[in-house]
Amino acid sequence: MTKLNDYDKAVETYEPVLGLETHIELDTNTKMFCGCSTVFGAEPNTQVCPVCLALPGALPVANRAAVEATIKIGLALNCHIAEWTRFARKNYFYPDMPKNFQTSQYEEPLCEEGYVDVVVEGREYRVEIERVHLEEDTGKTLHVGGATGRIHGATESLVDYNRAGIPLVEIVTKPVPGTGALAPEVARAYTAELRDIVRSLGVSDVRMEQGSLRCDVNLSLNLPGDGWGTRTETKNVNSLRSVERAVRYEVRRQSALLDAGERIFQETRHFQETTGETRAGRSKEEATDYRYFPEPDLAVMEPSRAWVEELRAGLPELPRKRRERLQASWSLGDKEMQSVVNADAVDLIESTVAAGATPSGAVKWWLGELSRRANENGDELGALQITPAQVAQLQGMVDDGRLNDKLARQVIDGVLAGEGDPADVAAKRGLEVVSDTGALEAAVEEAISANPAVADKIRGGTHAAAGVLIGAVMKATKGQADAGTVRQIILDKLS
Amino acid sequence: MSRIIDKTAAELSADIREGRLTSVEVTTAFLDRIDAVDGTIKAFLHVDREGALATAREVDADIAAGKETFAFAGVPIAIKDVVVTKGLPTTAASKILEGWIPPYDATISERIKAARMPILGKTNMDEFAMGSSTEYSAFQKTLNPWDTGRIPGGSGGGSAAAVAAKMAPVAIGTDTGGSIRQPGAVTGTFGAKPTYGSNSRYGLIAFSSSLDTPGPVARNALDAAILHEIISGYDPRDSTSIDAPVPPVVRAARAGANGDLAGVKLGVVKEFAEGSDAAEPGVIAAYEAAVEQLVKLGAEIVEVSCPSFTYALPTYYLIAPSEASSNLARYDGVRYGLRTGDDGEHSLEEVMSLTREAGFGPEVKRRIILGTYALSAGYVDAFYGKAQLVRTLIKQDFEKAFEQVDAIISPTTPFIAFEFGERMDDPYQMYLADLYTIPTNLYGGPAVSVPVGLSEGMPVGLQVMGPVMGDDVAYRVAAAYESTQDALLADTAPEPEPEGK
Amino acid sequence: MSTISREEVAHLARLARLEVTDDELDAFAGQLDVILESMKTLAEVNTDGVQPTSHAVPLVNVFREDQPQPSLSREAALSGGPDTFEDRFRVPRILDEEA
Ligand SMILES: [Mg+2]
Ligand SMILES: [Zn+2]
């Protein structure tokens, strides 16, 4: 069993240094070096050709759109765009990599030296970007047991090359020191910001659950005043929540080892989605020698300054600017807006407002009831089975007095259970507010005769006592009455 | 000469177009010749009688119907087995690809099919084009028709021997360090390495990406030039393809045939002459006689200095194996080709290693290991990086020389065809065969080898090198030399002995 | 003095996924030595200020437009596979792999 320190104690003693490598699949129409389609979810080995299957003799030709997308990402991350850049071969054997080398970039990446600013708990952190380069994705390997096999008990693998050759942008940060106890939150905020930036550029749909954004998390610890420690690289970190968990876990694990006087090995570890642990790779064979060299089958690239400026001029509003604009138009304070960002609710709220809700209503639902439910299930907010349009409809029903908050929560239950739009759920479950004044007046009469003393108090001018009668009416109508209306009827009758 | 197989491709093409012969007659004649002598020569790895005749019949039908046909329609061709042909086995003479039937065509194959040349079959070669004798084929030894105890050159020994033994009027070769020109020289045939980038490499099984160049193999300059124009030109599927008009090589070959080289300056490389102890005296004698002929035609000989050529061989043997070690990584037994050791006991890593061990021959392994070494961390700057710098110097030597001369001449290879086995155990001695051809590959320019006589009864070649995209100059000089001869050297080749001698 | 040892050849063979025999190791070590000696002559060439040549004819910015082209049919794609199963290429178990 791996020994883990308490997190808070660990960060009291050690200073974490973060590093993040992010791979983003571009959503170009075709692959990086061939004309095969990139549509997700096709039947196995139907989007392959001589080039991406690495048949003997096939040659690559670079996709202009992928190069442009990478330059756009570089520009959005405040990078310098290379005047002269080229592809390189990274040589290693792996069955999901058809050529047994990855066409990537080595000493001359397309973009270098940028930064991303993120705000965590009111403090701004600058994450410096070392490089942004363009490469290609691998195929997908399905690991199966002996069931399909000729050999009992043997495990084997099945390879589908549809994904092989899809353009992949790799974004590497410089080491990020100085985050202290907030290292997990900074890592998450950076990843979220990167995702939002790339999404705003329209060059990738950045779906972590489909693997179109994948993170490797580097982490080392050192004692204050000491040089940086040995880092580990954790692969397979594929959700924002996992990024946070992976950092937290490594801090706890590494600090326990250091406390025990042991040393950290520079190694690759794998994140376990189910347990939140990181696990070492099985073998520690000889260090990999990738034998990089310039790709002789591709021409060098010299992005002209005119081209770069044209791309820069075409950049859309970036997330930070957009957040500032939305914060103003939603009339939110800094703290409130930060909560919206942390909850990953900017897009959701914007869509909800666009669907007709008031900003305050949209914020209230997404940050309140809906966030609570997401947390309960350990889900991201966006993963909830409710759309911004449905939230807007819900809020509209509340504004119209057709639902009160309590009923609205029950309607949410129905929507999340897949029973349809809020209006359908309310109708099916009979959750409308009772607006029939005849029925309400009868219920009020009943409450008055059951509570004569309270009624006298109200008659005597103590309007606050109305609460007791309202409670009784609500109870009698199973919560489906509108409290304001009930109060008005009571006061009318008793004054 | 009355036999069909004795005619040049240009003559056959005219006969077919003008109705004196049908493509079926011509194609059958070559197929029958293959049946008769390839049992001895072993130039072909695969013969496609049915496919070739089917194309021939189509061409004949079109001609009968009065449809227009183009150069070499109906003229059969042999293709080196390193060029991918859809539906026809393609192995690069390696066990690792034995039985592989490609699902696609190389651009060159497409162009040959579009030109409607019947494909006779695929020719033998050194495995993955690594070698100078075709002895490294995994499947068979190809014999030199001039002396069956000797090698036919390499790596394209099969294509050269097929043309020399008149089993094909023309053929396709590929040239990474001399694999078209050196077999041409030692079999008395004509071979041309075009400017790098002017012929598509798409579908050419890669050996060394920055050096590989496909080109024509023929009996004379004109046939080679016509084939050159058929296969050349820009290909958007090859990122290193040059988007420019093909140099007018056919016009140049016809112009050269007038035998006038007045005003043409030919460079001889001082450093080649100084290193002449590397070349055999008989080769030098035949070469010098050819130079005399060129002078008689009006050419002026100018000495040029190319000091960096001295380093061409080691430069080549860093660049080519480095690129090859990476290009050949794809042969792993997963998607196509051989798989060995998959018995349930071995992991994938072991199966890959066992497959590659069983599938590659010794020269391929040697070069993979050499390239792996040259690229490995700590050596890459001293080796691959340094080689790229020296390559620049060699290129500059050529560029300086071409400021003074129109073309550069040299023997094609320092020695005549050697005997089988002579250089097998000493790779370095084998590599010397490409001493004079390698600089051009490093530079990227064009070069042809034209037969210029015999030494010890074996053919000798003259190499004519041109500037980048100046392929026409090389053809003109070669064709002018041919005009001084009563007969093509290829026509004086001895008749191959029948099978089972 | 030999440039390349038997052990080094064995290491290179592993990197290149070649299961070489002992005899081959010996032969290659000797032969590579001769070749590497020749290559070392490059060290004596002065290349100060020289730009590398990676391609014979330098081309820049060679791109393809982002327009889909037909892929191979699945049958054609799988046709060369030594072992295929359920439209995928089957391989033996992979070491160092999270199953
Ligand atoms: Mg990468
Ligand atoms: Zn493809």
Side-chain angles (χ1 to χ4, degrees), chain A residues 49-62 86 89 91-101 107 150-151 154 159 161 285 289-299, chain B residues 84 97 100 103-104 196 201-206 209-210 236-240 322-323 325-327 329-332 334-336 342-344 348-349 352 356 372 375-377 380 384 388:
Chain A
C49 72
V51 178
C52 59
L53 261 189
L55 295 189
L59 294 174
V61 186
R86 61 183 170 184
R89 292 187 184 178
N91 293 285
Y92 64 102
F93 283 82
Y94 210 77
D96 60 12
M97 198 167 57
K99 294 173 291 192
N100 283 318
F101 62 79
E107 281 168 334
R150 312 130 290 182
I151 309 122
V159 195
Y161 292 102
E285 47 174 301
D289 180 349
Y290 292 123
R291 288 159 286 137
Y292 279 102
F293 74 106
E295 166 58 277
D297 284 329
L298 290 164
Chain B
V84 168
L97 278 176
W100 183 55
Y104 83 106
Y196 177 92
R201 291 185 298 115
Y202 187 79
L204 183 66
I205 296 182
S209 307
S210 72
R237 289 183 295 190
D238 174 356
S239 301
T240 59
S322 294
E323 293 178 0
S325 69
S326 173
N327 284 332
R330 66 186 57 192
Y331 305 102
D332 60 4
V334 173
R335 292 161 306 282
Y336 43 80
D342 186 8
D343 53 8
L348 175 68
E349 289 78 358
M352 278 188 183
R356 290 163 62 79
T372 304
L375 290 177
S376 52
V380 68
Y384 189 77
Q388 290 210 326

Side-chain angles (χ1 to χ4, degrees), chain A residues 144-353:
Chain A
V144 291
T148 65
R150 312 130 290 182
I151 309 122
H152 70 94
T155 301
E156 47 191 40
S157 302
L158 300 171
V159 195
D160 166 17
Y161 292 102
N162 282 349
R163 201 183 66 179
I166 289 185
L168 206 56
V169 173
E170 180 176 321
I171 300 156
V172 184
T173 71
K174 294 184 178 176
V176 189
T179 56
L182 290 177
E185 287 81 5
V186 171
R188 180 193 170 117
Y190 162 78
T191 308
E193 183 71 4
L194 189 61
R195 180 202 57 184
D196 290 350
I197 288 171
V198 171
R199 192 176 283 161
S200 75
L201 296 172
V203 296
S204 170
D205 51 10
V206 229
R207 287 175 196 272
M208 293 187 90
E209 71 280 7
Q210 285 184 4
S212 59
L213 186 154
R214 311 196 282 273
C215 294
D216 301 341
V217 175
N218 294 334
L219 190 99
S220 70
L221 295 180
N222 59 266
L223 288 169
D226 280 5
W228 291 345
T230 304
R231 68 186 166 87
T232 60
E233 181 178 5
T234 303
K235 302 226 174 228
N236 285 347
V237 191
N238 294 335
S239 72
L240 294 180
R241 191 163 156 263
S242 300
V243 169
E244 211 174 318
R245 289 167 84 203
V247 173
R248 199 172 293 273
Y249 184 87
E250 274 302 279
V251 168
R252 296 178 63 198
R253 187 187 69 86
Q254 289 186 22
S255 63
L257 284 173
L258 291 171
D259 281 353
E262 291 177 49
R263 47 183 286 247
I264 309 295
F265 289 100
Q266 180 160 352
E267 63 180 354
T268 298
R269 302 181 66 84
H270 299 276
F271 184 70
Q272 310 297 310
E273 200 71 50
T274 42
T275 59
E277 298 172 340
T278 72
R279 212 184 280 163
R282 218 175 287 167
S283 80
K284 279 181 199 151
E285 47 174 301
E286 40 198 317
T288 320
D289 180 349
Y290 292 123
R291 288 159 286 137
Y292 279 102
F293 74 106
E295 166 58 277
D297 284 329
L298 290 164
V300 301
M301 295 179 280
E302 294 178 359
S304 76
R305 295 305 96 177
W307 188 26
V308 172
E309 288 318 308
E310 192 186 312
L311 292 172
R312 192 195 304 276
L315 290 182
E317 181 188 39
L318 294 176
R320 193 186 172 99
K321 270 262 165 65
R322 171 167 164 255
R323 283 197 305 265
E324 285 164 9
R325 174 174 59 76
L326 292 175
Q327 184 181 348
S329 88
W330 295 344
S331 314
L332 298 183
D334 287 351
K335 266 236 166 89
E336 242 180 322
M337 188 64 193
Q338 197 53 51
S339 309
V340 170
V341 172
N342 289 347
D344 205 18
V346 177
D347 288 352
L348 295 167
I349 291 170
E350 191 186 29
S351 304
T352 307
V353 172

